[in-house]
Amino acid sequence: MASHSEVRDTSPKLRRKSNPRFSNIHIKSRNIERSKFYEDLVEEMRRKMCCHKSRESLFSSSSGFLNYRGILNWAVVVLILTHAHMVLENLITYGLLVDPVQIIAFALSDPNTWPGSYLIIAVGSALVLAIHTIIFMKLYSYHEVNRWLREEWAPLGLKSAIKHPGISSCASDPGNIAGGNPQQLVTFPDNLTVKDLYYFLFAPTLCYQMNFPRSSKIRIRFLLRRLLEMIFLIHLFIGLIQQWVLPVTRNTMQPFVEMSLTMMIHQLLLIAIPNHFMWLIFFHGFFHSTLNFIAELMRFGDRRFYRDWWNSETLTYFWSNSNIVLHKWYMRHIYRPLIEKGYSKWEGQASVFVLSALYHEYLIAAPLRMFRMWLFIEMMLQE
């Protein structure tokens, strides 16, 4: 009977160790482990000994660094603190001036002249001019689209008309069918009805098409939120005028009379801040709250009234994305027809800018009877 030592010596483990092939693999494995150990050691020494390498500063354009989000957040914090200081300074200097009753008293003061009523008439005149201009642009679009349909759709048929740039894919898009029901699809000339015309006149768009995109139902909560936003922003707008704009405007008159350049710049910068706030309030109140309220009430599906103008890198991008409703009309009825007639893109853009500048000057100058052309020249210089 073999001894215990003999059994151990003849075990499979010892037989594998005596195998040359196994020995080579074992040696290679140890060499790899040793090489990895030395590499890690060298890397650790390099980190300890070498702390410099060739690279650019982050603010250099050649560095390729683009993440400035933290600086933007810091700027927002500074902006909030600065404006909070100015608001407190305004309250300390003038006290609380917001008073809704004061507006009514101002409008009814001095029955012989009623200066407040003149202001109301001037604002009302601008509103009337804006409404009449909107109706004109809507009717022009209604006429042009139906002319396209009559001259190009009717002779060629439905399939050929779908390819027209003015009405491209409108009829074939399921989102343009009221309630998603294909049976409610309207074709030319069945769209020439009083109901269709009045829907377009009240819809929050300037560009006509058959089969507008429609939502399935009216969301009451969404409607109420937009209504509350409109009421709140109107009061906030009036409060800013009473608390900030009027006091600064009164103090601005004296530096302009004395022609003190430093004080003129100071007062203009003071009035610029509430002006920006009022512009933002107007933008949100009109382009988001009011137009969405009308769209929801009429189940109008296209709610893209603006794009990300706050990310604008050029003035062209700003003007084309801050008011999509007006920009879409200019592109469809002014720019593209000029391009189709052989004019250059620059000439088409210049025509749009001139027409837009004249329109804004008309809305301001005509009610106030002040044809100074300042706004027109300012918009033209931005081209």
Side-chain angles (χ1 to χ4, degrees):
M1 185 174 181
S3 63
H4 179 68
S5 61
E6 291 176 350
V7 174
R8 184 177 60 188
D9 293 341
T10 57
S11 64
K13 182 177 180 181
L14 293 179
R15 286 201 301 272
R16 285 196 301 269
K17 284 187 176 181
S18 62
N19 190 339
R21 182 178 178 185
F22 178 80
S23 299
N24 291 335
I25 294 175
H26 182 69
I27 293 172
K28 290 180 179 179
S29 176
R30 293 187 62 184
N31 290 336
I32 292 174
E33 292 178 356
R34 186 180 295 110
S35 176
K36 185 67 170 61
F37 171 77
Y38 281 118
E39 288 179 359
D40 292 342
L41 182 61
V42 170
E43 181 64 22
E44 181 66 22
M45 291 297 295
R46 190 188 67 81
R47 285 197 297 265
K48 289 183 178 181
M49 301 298 296
C50 304
C51 60
H52 297 287
K53 65 178 181 180
S54 179
R55 48 192 171 183
E56 298 287 345
S57 299
L58 293 183
F59 285 164
S60 299
S61 58
S62 57
S63 67
F65 183 79
L66 298 174
N67 186 9
Y68 297 102
R69 183 69 184 180
I71 296 179
L72 178 62
N73 295 335
W74 169 73
V76 170
V77 172
V78 173
L79 187 66
I80 292 173
L81 293 176
T82 303
H83 284 77
H85 170 262
M86 297 191 69
V87 170
L88 289 176
E89 184 180 20
N90 180 274
L91 290 173
I92 294 172
T93 305
Y94 302 109
L96 185 62
L97 301 177
V98 178
D99 185 7
V101 179
Q102 183 182 2
I103 300 176
I104 301 176
F106 174 75
L108 299 177
S109 63
D110 196 356
N112 296 322
T113 58
W114 277 11
S117 61
Y118 292 127
L119 180 61
I120 294 173
I121 292 173
V123 175
S125 300
L127 181 61
V128 169
L129 289 177
I131 292 175
H132 279 77
T133 306
I134 290 172
I135 293 176
F136 167 77
M137 298 173 77
K138 282 176 173 282
L139 292 178
Y140 181 84
S141 179
Y142 184 81
H143 168 267
E144 284 296 295
V145 172
N146 281 286
R147 182 179 64 82
W148 296 339
L149 296 174
R150 183 179 65 255
E151 296 178 357
E152 302 185 28
W153 187 332
L156 300 177
L158 175 62
K159 293 183 179 180
S160 299
I162 290 177
K163 299 179 181 179
H164 192 280
I167 51 176
S168 177
S169 303
C170 294
S172 60
D173 186 0
N176 293 333
I177 302 174
N181 185 2
Q183 295 180 354
Q184 298 184 17
L185 179 66
V186 178
T187 57
F188 183 81
D190 297 335
N191 64 310
L192 300 177
T193 61
V194 175
K195 179 181 177 181
D196 184 81
L197 174 60
Y198 271 91
Y199 179 85
F200 169 59
L201 289 178
F202 286 98
T205 180
L206 297 175
C207 294
Y208 175 76
Q209 73 176 49
M210 294 192 304
N211 306 299
F212 284 106
R214 305 288 296 275
S215 55
S216 58
K217 62 179 182 179
I218 297 177
R219 297 169 292 179
I220 301 300
R221 291 185 178 179
F222 181 88
L223 205 65
L224 291 176
R225 283 199 298 268
R226 301 290 82 81
L227 180 61
L228 292 175
E229 286 177 359
M230 291 162 58
I231 296 173
F232 171 75
L233 291 176
I234 288 174
H235 284 80
L236 182 60
F237 191 89
I238 296 174
L240 274 176
I241 294 176
Q242 287 183 301
Q243 182 66 43
W244 207 334
V245 175
L246 291 179
V248 175
T249 304
R250 294 191 188 102
N251 293 335
T252 304
M253 296 298 102
Q254 190 64 28
F256 274 91
V257 172
E258 298 176 354
M259 296 302 293
S260 174
L261 181 60
T262 305
M263 290 302 298
M264 286 169 57
I265 296 175
H266 176 261
Q267 295 297 330
L268 287 176
L269 291 176
L270 283 179
I271 202 69
I273 296 172
N275 180 66
H276 278 81
F277 280 128
M278 292 168 64
W279 191 92
L280 291 174
I281 292 171
F282 168 78
F283 172 81
H284 191 282
F286 180 75
F287 287 97
H288 184 73
S289 302
T290 304
L291 293 184
N292 269 289
F293 179 84
I294 298 173
E296 189 67 25
L297 199 61
M298 303 187 65
R299 293 172 48 214
F300 187 80
D302 188 2
R303 312 292 176 88
R304 189 61 60 88
F305 305 120
Y306 54 89
R307 292 195 184 99
D308 58 335
W309 55 266
W310 48 88
N311 292 327
S312 302
E313 296 182 357
T314 62
L315 286 171
T316 302
Y317 187 88
F318 172 80
W319 286 114
S320 61
N321 290 275
S322 59
N323 188 347
I324 294 296
V325 179
L326 187 61
H327 175 72
K328 190 181 296 183
W329 189 92
Y330 283 138
M331 293 296 293
R332 192 189 196 194
H333 297 294
I334 303 297
Y335 179 78
R336 289 174 184 170
L338 289 175
I339 298 300
E340 291 175 359
K341 292 180 179 179
Y343 290 92
S344 65
K345 292 184 178 180
W346 184 88
E347 290 173 329
Q349 292 176 353
S351 300
V352 170
F353 262 95
V354 170
L355 185 61
S356 179
L358 288 174
Y359 170 64
H360 287 84
E361 184 70 31
Y362 170 71
L363 290 180
I364 295 176
L368 299 177
R369 299 181 181 180
M370 295 174 57
F371 293 95
R372 300 293 188 271
M373 303 299 287
W374 294 332
L375 185 60
F376 175 81
I377 295 174
E378 179 186 357
M379 292 192 66
M380 292 308 301
L381 289 176
Q382 296 177 16
E383 185 180 351

